[in-house]
Amino acid sequence: MYPSSFDYHAAGSVQEALALLAQYGDDAKLLAGGHSLIPVMKLRFAAPAHLIDIGRIPALSAISDGGANVHVGATARHADVAASPIVRTRVPLLAEVTAHIGDPLIRNMGTIGGSIAHADPAADLPAAMLALGASLVLAGPSGTRTVAADDFFTDVFTTALQPGEMLTEVVVPVPGAGSGAAYEKLPDPASGYAIVGIAVQLQVRDGAIASVRVGMTGLGPMPMRLAGVESALAGTAASTAAIAAAAARAGDGLSFDDDVRGSAAYKLNIARVYVRRALVRAMAASAG
Amino acid sequence: MATTSEPGASLIGASVKRKEDQRFITGKGRYTDDVTLPGQTYAAFVRSPHANATINRIDASAALAMPGVHAVLTGADMQAAGVNPIPPGWLHPGIKIAEFRALAVGRVSHVGNAVAVVIAASPSIARDAADLVDVDYTDHPAVADAVAALAAGAPQVHPDAPGNVVFNWQLGDAAAVDAAMAGAKSVVRQHLVNQRLIANAIEPRASLANYDAAADELTLYVTSQNPHVHRLIMGAFVLGIPEHKFRVIAPDVGGGFGSKIFIYPEECVVAWASKTLGRPVKWTATRSESFLTDAHGRDHSTDVEMAFDDAGTIVALRVKTVANLGAYLTLFAPAVPTYLYGTLMSGQYNIPAIHVDVTAAYTNTTPVDAYRGAGRPEATYALERTMDVAARQLGLDPAELRRRNLIAPDAFPFQTAVALQYDSGNYEPALDKALALIDYPARRAEQAAGRAAGTHIGIGLSAYIEACGLAPSHIVGSLGAQAGLYESGVVRIHPTGKVTVLTGSHSHGQGHETTFAQIVAQELGCTIDDVEIVHGDTGRVPFGMGTYGSRSGAVGGAALFGSLQKVKDKGRRIAAHLLEAAPEDVDFAGGNFFVKGSPSRTKSFAEVSLAAYLAHNLPPDMEPGLEATTFFNPSNFVFPFGVHIAIVEVDTETGHVTLQRYLAVDDFGNVINPMIVDGQLHGGIAQGAAQALWEGAQYDSNGQLLTGSMMNYGLPKAAFLPMFETDRTVTPSPVNPLGVKGAGEAGTIASTAAVANAVLDALSPFGITHLDMPLTPARIWSAIHGSHGGN
Ligand SMILES: Cc1cc2nc3c(=O)[nH]c(=O)nc-3n(C[C@H](O)[C@H](O)[C@H](O)COP(=O)(O)OP(=O)(O)OC[C@H]3O[C@@H](n4cnc5c(N)ncnc54)[C@H](O)[C@@H]3O)c2cc1C
């Protein structure tokens, strides 16, 4: 498999990457881990004339604990995120979700920023971003802005990133006491991507669900929160019955089609089952 | 083992580590794509995006204008140069052979059909230029499904095959079956789809041709399981190059599974283009091209009727199959759904009357040919799946129904109702052993308890037989094969006693460099490091039929064994001469010749080897040298058999299947290297289980392949599989001196039915009698919950 020919630029800094982006415009693509971009180029679905490699920018892959938030640099590799003691202890959902991506080869190359910017509707990390209520730091020609994950994924493979912008950092709020989280994924046997993936981050206070965020990947045009499930649960007593009632609303706001992966009825079913399973596990985790 | 002459020798039967693995796991294998020649150019193919279309015009001007492009060649150019279509290697009476040109002329018949080739200075220039070749097509309606292709009014794939029928083939006694069915207590009927599979060897197909004008010689490096067959067919039938001017080298080959047996368009084009351009030309498939152009496997639609008397004894079997052969007939295609399928329909059972009716159809899809097991997995699935359906219908335990119908041990050689004569077998011990190892009653009890508690375990059996060690040449010749299926083996002893073996078998994963060396080392009393195994080069190996049909040990190994006896015999006569003894008084053991009764009068094998080449003192009538050639032509197939048991758990909430346990009890006769045989089984079981659960090629009604990449074609992954449990019974084969049977395909042959039976056993409480494969969660869940679902 041979991609069309292209020029390669190794950016030494975010500034340099942004300058190259400005210079080459639509002819350029940022290259992070290359594990979504290069396959697409080999299949000749994309043929950028310039690749701007951001994988060598010092410190862009740093992971740090900022107290209220954990900061993960855009080029942090999946394997490093999944193994990071900071991530594992402070925002365990991110570690759990990241460990579900592909296989070790993929996790050794792919980056958190690349996965989020690529916004594959079946990728794992976007569901985690939504469940965690993460913010995404975007650097552009006119400075830096921060976009909530809720506003970032806008359509199929489409995000709030504007031409000339790059994602530099993921900011993940650290959940408070009584929190629990879980990720339940049904992988496609061929690709390993999610047929459905449900990420749940919730907090239980005095036996009631104080807050809950449910991120879904796989069953829609883009990763999205399951508002019906969240509103059914918020404020209710943390119970199996409440979970069952909430899971029944997993299909709210989604529309399912029959395709090679299964019938619409089947997809609605697995949405409900996986929401229930994720909620059960997150609830159990919140208890300790 | 009766055939080994040295007491105490133990290399045959030892799990010697594979000699070849050192180079493979350190990345030092040398595959076709690793070979680079001076002045090398690169080919890229222009392929049809349509399944059935007329080619109106090919405009290569933009491609030719690109710097670095040497040539753009079309089917018309090839035809004008006198290159012939690629012939099938097996014929049936009345077969309709559609012209299979390496580059299409006038018409394309499947998506991916090669239309033109670009030869350029680099692979990327070739690819860029190929995208610039402008082909004007008129698209016609296409047909991808074989049953649809045979229906009235279906789109016509080839003008000269009316109704898309390639052939109709029948075997057995139809009248006897009719009579037995009429008088039977019950008849079990089942429709079964054996879905199309794509082999996906890790190494994609590749070829590199180099025409040497000075010597008027063509050398072709190619990913082939049978380089001599490639040379014969490409040289004599397609390109018109005599054997002595054509060398075919199949270096390290990264998996084949049948898909690298056949003569493909690309290698014919590359060979011809090299001669035309006077430059080396290389082509390596992309994975997308592999999906579209490697011959696919299976693709049967079958109706089985099995009749029983009131004791649960099978009295008759009727099998009616439609086989999809795709757009063209590749080398083995006509044999796979016939002689490798219908002849296996008796399985391990004593079935007095069998009739098999196979209609093969052309469709606008990739050609279908042998894929690991080739016909025998399809036969085993049809028979063993039906046995489970029957057991449930008759209210019998599936193990018990099988037991009642096994061929008795004293019935061998056993003449089946479908032509084959089984040489040997003893089936009940394998069944007993498998049931004991899995603790069948305990598993059934667990299943019952689980069902009460809402968990759904399934237990699936598959009792298989296969005919392999292809094949007695006179038999296959009488059945339409265009060549015999013997094998050659040369043993060349060097003056120091070191050994070079030239074998016509070809290893592309099987481990011949180890197992064949074990045979040599045991027979000659040397170490396996004293032995070099050469294969895959028509310039070095006299002749060969290659590796497929689990034939290397039973046929290639037997040829090697024959040559070993010849060199030992000559060595004995030399030793006797040197020791001044009569040859019949000289024995050979542990690498030494010695006079019976006086072990101090001895000559080592190395001393004798040197004497053979020095020739100072040989028996008067003897030629110098120590080398022997044997062509072994088997008198019959070999018949491995066994019982495999799969245990699955079905999550009825999602339809997800977990393969919990897999046990294989096989009889491969004598085993040369148990570790390698286990490895062959493991890979085969993975592939067979994958057919049951994950794999399946799908076309849409326009003939577009929907599963053309690893994103949507479900190959098995290690994480999906349990640790396999293997055990064996040993019934040596009488048809070769090693007493071995084939072990390369058994895993695939047995496992699909075992896993499918297990899943359907798990689903029996839901009244589900059968589902077609792959048994995906969506399919299972929909069956449990009815088409509207919801829970
Ligand atoms: C075989 C295989 C299996 C996989 N399985 C899974 C799976 O199970 N689950 C899953 O979620 N993913 C899976 N992936 C995808 C993997 O996680 C990729 O690594 C990820 O999607 C992209 O990250 P990357 O760093 O490789 O990005 P790249 O491929 O380098 O880039 C992807 C896209 O994002 C853009 N981009 C990259 N970084 C930035 C940035 N900082 N700012 C703005 N734009 C940027 C690029 O320009 C490009 O358009 C799989 C990939 C492969 C090859």
Side-chain angles (χ1 to χ4, degrees):
Chain A
M1 303 240 224
Y2 294 94
S4 303
S5 59
F6 55 85
D7 287 338
Y8 170 86
H9 311 267
S13 66
V14 170
Q15 286 322 310
E16 196 185 332
L18 291 174
L20 286 162
L21 267 183
Q23 183 178 345
Y24 295 112
D26 283 351
D27 287 341
K29 278 263 179 211
L30 296 176
L31 174 71
H35 269 50
S36 289
L37 181 57
I38 290 179
V40 164
M41 289 171 62
K42 283 179 158 185
L43 290 168
R44 298 194 163 212
F45 294 150
H50 298 271
L51 285 191
I52 303 163
D53 188 352
I54 57 170
R56 292 155 188 261
I57 298 175
L60 196 60
S61 60
I63 300 172
S64 63
D65 188 347
N69 296 298
V70 166
H71 300 258
V72 183
T75 55
R77 311 262 182 206
H78 301 322
D80 295 331
V81 173
S84 155
I86 296 173
V87 175
R88 293 168 71 97
T89 54
R90 305 281 282 152
V91 282
L93 180 62
L94 180 58
E96 183 184 349
V97 171
T98 307
H100 271 91
I101 298 172
D103 53 43
L105 278 76
I106 309 305
R107 294 195 291 274
N108 285 335
M109 289 301 291
T111 67
I112 188 168
S115 175
I116 293 167
H118 190 61
D120 188 308
D124 299 299
L125 280 170
M129 294 296 106
L130 294 170
L132 286 160
S135 306
L136 306 165
V137 181
L138 312 183
S142 48
T144 292
R145 63 188 180 117
T146 300
V147 177
D150 287 348
D151 303 323
F152 185 77
F153 304 104
T154 55
D155 207 339
V156 191
F157 290 108
T158 310
T159 69
L161 273 164
Q162 295 302 306
E165 276 188 321
M166 74 179 265
L167 171 60
T168 54
E169 189 176 276
V170 178
V171 181
V172 188
V174 175
S179 291
Y183 185 56
E184 288 285 337
K185 174 181 181 180
L186 174 65
D188 180 275
S191 69
Y193 278 84
I195 293 176
V196 63
I198 303 291
V200 169
Q201 181 73 54
L202 54 75
Q203 191 172 21
V204 178
R205 212 176 293 133
D206 304 327
I209 295 176
S211 73
V212 56
R213 297 174 64 99
V214 181
M216 184 281 304
T217 187
L219 289 172
M222 56 186 170
M224 51 180 77
R225 284 172 65 183
L226 297 181
V229 176
E230 290 179 6
S231 65
L233 272 180
T236 64
S239 69
T240 324
I243 288 176
R249 297 190 54 188
D252 288 12
L254 295 173
S255 65
F256 301 103
D257 298 327
D258 296 345
D259 65 17
V260 284
R261 289 175 159 195
S263 65
Y266 173 71
K267 291 176 189 169
L268 174 60
N269 170 65
I270 55 171
R272 290 172 173 169
V273 171
Y274 277 75
V275 165
R276 195 196 68 225
R277 289 179 181 179
L279 287 172
V280 166
R281 224 160 37 78
M283 194 100 84
S286 73
Chain B
M1 191 175 122
T3 48
T4 56
S5 42
E6 286 76 49
S10 59
L11 269 170
I12 292 186
S15 286
V16 176
K17 281 196 180 165
R18 298 188 356 143
K19 281 177 77 175
E20 45 274 80
D21 282 351
Q22 175 72 21
R23 86 172 175 277
F24 290 147
I25 63 178
T26 56
K28 297 196 171 66
R30 190 166 179 260
Y31 298 89
T32 297
D33 192 61
D34 295 326
V35 181
T36 297
L37 300 174
Q40 180 171 297
T41 61
Y42 298 85
F45 286 86
V46 179
R47 298 186 180 281
S48 171
H50 304 290
N52 190 12
T54 309
I55 303 169
N56 302 320
R57 188 179 44 82
I58 301 173
D59 179 359
S61 51
L64 283 166
M66 260 189 77
V69 171
H70 294 295
V72 179
L73 302 167
T74 66
D77 297 328
M78 261 184 123
Q79 196 173 14
V83 179
N84 293 314
I86 303 168
W90 204 301
L91 305 180
H92 296 300
I95 189 170
K96 297 282 187 294
I97 301 175
E99 196 172 82
F100 181 20
R101 294 210 166 261
L103 293 175
V105 174
R107 192 182 175 97
V108 287
S109 300
H110 69 92
V111 173
N113 208 154
V115 171
V117 66
V118 176
I119 316 287
S122 78
S124 53
I125 296 173
R127 184 70 259 155
D128 286 345
D131 291 346
L132 293 179
V133 175
D134 184 23
V135 185
D136 183 49
Y137 298 97
T138 303
D139 196 6
H140 306 298
V143 62
D145 177 79
V147 174
L150 295 175
Q156 187 70 29
V157 180
H158 298 291
D160 37 6
N164 299 318
V165 176
V166 186
F167 56 78
N168 175 262
W169 177 92
Q170 303 195 13
L171 182 65
D173 187 339
V177 169
D178 289 344
M181 292 258 171
K185 165 91 184 314
S186 51
V187 179
V188 173
R189 296 188 171 82
Q190 185 60 53
H191 178 72
L192 301 167
V193 173
N194 199 300
Q195 82 273 26
R196 180 183 284 239
L197 302 178
I198 304 177
N200 272 300
I202 290 182
E203 182 204 17
R205 287 191 295 114
S207 42
L208 167 60
N210 184 27
Y211 177 69
D212 174 348
D216 185 28
E217 257 175 35
L218 183 68
T219 302
L220 176 70
Y221 296 85
V222 62
T223 45
S224 170
Q225 301 179 209
N226 33 228
H228 290 85
V229 176
H230 263 79
R231 183 183 64 172
L232 174 66
I233 293 177
M234 286 177 69
F237 297 98
V238 182
L239 301 171
I241 303 175
E243 283 97 326
H244 64 292
K245 293 291 184 190
F246 189 14
R247 178 175 177 188
V248 177
I249 301 172
D252 284 331
V253 173
F257 312 112
S259 73
K260 291 173 181 165
I261 296 174
F262 325 118
I263 315 304
Y264 283 97
E266 294 84 0
E267 54 228 30
C268 298
V269 170
V270 157
W272 167 72
S274 172
K275 195 168 176 180
T276 306
L277 271 70
R279 308 259 313 242
V281 181
K282 182 191 272 186
W283 170 76
T284 302
T286 64
R287 182 61 60 182
S288 307
E289 284 180 302
S290 303
F291 272 97
L292 280 179
T293 66
D294 289 5
H296 294 175
R298 319 279 189 259
D299 206 344
H300 286 193
S301 172
T302 294
D303 287 292
V304 185
E305 293 172 273
M306 196 182 266
F308 292 86
D309 68 11
D310 44 18
T313 309
I314 309 171
V315 295
L317 174 67
R318 189 188 286 132
V319 178
K320 211 166 177 312
T321 292
V322 170
N324 191 340
L325 295 188
Y328 304 105
L329 300 181
T330 48
L331 196 67
F332 268 105
V336 174
T338 54
Y339 289 112
L340 295 175
Y341 171 70
T343 51
L344 272 297
M345 278 304 169
S346 202
Q348 297 189 1
Y349 311 118
N350 184 352
I351 308 180
I354 305 178
H355 186 251
V356 185
D357 177 307
V358 179
T359 302
Y362 282 118
T363 60
N364 295 111
T365 62
T366 300
V368 179
D369 204 316
Y371 168 57
R372 199 170 191 175
R376 291 151 293 171
E378 296 91 313
T380 304
Y381 180 70
L383 198 55
E384 288 302 288
R385 182 70 206 105
T386 306
M387 286 299 271
D388 261 38
V389 172
R392 208 188 294 175
Q393 213 161 303
L394 301 177
L396 287 170
D397 181 274
E400 173 57 22
L401 180 65
R402 286 175 171 84
R403 189 187 298 282
R404 285 186 194 180
N405 286 284
L406 293 178
I407 297 165
D410 57 8
F412 293 90
F414 178 80
Q415 180 59 53
T416 68
V418 276
L420 290 180
Q421 193 186 74
Y422 297 165
D423 57 8
S424 62
N426 190 5
Y427 301 144
E428 202 163 14
L431 178 62
D432 286 336
K433 193 167 195 172
L435 295 174
L437 286 170
I438 207 91
D439 197 349
Y440 190 66
R443 300 288 82 74
R444 286 288 176 204
E446 224 167 63
Q447 176 182 47
R451 277 176 185 166
T455 58
H456 293 277
I457 303 277
I459 305 163
L461 271 71
S462 173
Y464 77 97
I465 179 147
E466 62 153 321
C468 62
L470 306 182
S473 298
H474 60 290
I475 296 183
V476 296
S478 69
L479 300 179
Q482 301 297 293
L485 290 168
Y486 49 83
E487 194 50 89
S488 80
V490 175
V491 172
R492 178 174 298 160
I493 309 297
H494 300 289
T496 57
K498 303 287 191 250
V499 188
T500 293
V501 169
L502 311 175
T503 173
S505 298
H506 183 276
S507 184
H508 35 278
Q510 293 84 352
H512 296 168
E513 287 168 50
T514 306
T515 51
F516 283 5
Q518 285 177 254
I519 297 173
V520 173
Q522 166 139 339
E523 286 301 307
L524 300 184
C526 59
T527 73
I528 64 167
D529 290 332
D530 292 333
V531 185
E532 172 199 28
I533 306 293
V534 175
H535 64 91
D537 184 349
T538 65
R540 295 188 70 187
V541 178
F543 201 73
M545 299 309 295
T547 289
Y548 41 81
S550 303
R551 65 191 305 274
S552 294
V555 190
L560 168 59
F561 188 83
S563 291
L564 288 166
Q565 305 317 309
K566 291 176 191 172
V567 298
K568 276 202 309 195
D569 190 55
K570 184 169 178 183
R572 183 192 315 274
R573 286 187 287 127
I574 295 171
H577 179 74
L578 297 175
L579 295 167
E580 296 175 347
E584 51 278 16
D585 290 335
V586 172
D587 257 351
F588 182 63
N592 289 303
F593 293 99
F594 58 92
V595 180
K596 278 180 200 161
S598 45
S600 58
R601 290 174 65 200
T602 165
K603 289 280 172 197
S604 72
F605 187 75
E607 287 174 301
V608 168
S609 305
L610 187 63
Y613 283 95
L614 294 180
H616 295 153
N617 184 14
L618 292 177
D621 56 343
M622 187 182 275
E623 290 176 16
L626 194 51
E627 171 165 332
T629 300
T630 302
F631 279 72
F632 181 78
N633 188 24
S635 57
N636 195 354
F637 298 89
V638 292
F639 297 97
F641 62 86
V643 172
H644 290 203
I645 301 180
I647 299 186
V648 301
E649 181 171 353
V650 177
D651 176 346
T652 54
E653 227 179 24
T654 62
H656 185 80
V657 176
T658 306
L659 186 51
Q660 289 187 331
R661 275 183 78 179
Y662 196 95
L663 169 75
V665 174
D666 297 281
D667 194 315
F668 298 130
N670 295 323
V671 168
I672 297 168
N673 184 321
M675 177 197 71
I676 287 182
V677 164
D678 281 347
Q680 290 287 315
L681 260 173
H682 289 183
I685 294 166
Q687 282 174 314
Q691 175 171 25
L693 297 176
W694 308 296
E695 287 189 41
Q698 293 181 46
Y699 281 91
D700 71 10
S701 56
N702 298 319
Q704 295 291 336
L705 182 62
L706 300 174
T707 51
S709 88
M710 297 212 186
M711 290 298 284
N712 41 36
Y713 185 85
L715 290 176
K717 323 260 186 310
F720 299 179
L721 301 165
M723 296 302 281
F724 299 133
E725 302 159 60
T726 61
D727 210 319
R728 285 189 261 280
T729 63
V730 178
T731 313
S733 167
V735 305
N736 63 68
L738 292 163
V740 301
K741 307 175 186 175
E745 298 164 295
T748 322
I749 290 168
S751 57
T752 303
V755 174
N757 282 340
V759 173
L760 285 145
D761 182 52
L763 296 178
S764 66
F766 301 96
I768 299 165
T769 54
H770 177 74
L771 292 173
D772 282 324
M773 305 181 291
L775 298 164
T776 59
R779 192 169 277 180
I780 289 169
W781 182 85
S782 299
I784 294 172
H785 297 273
S787 54
H788 297 293
N791 61 343

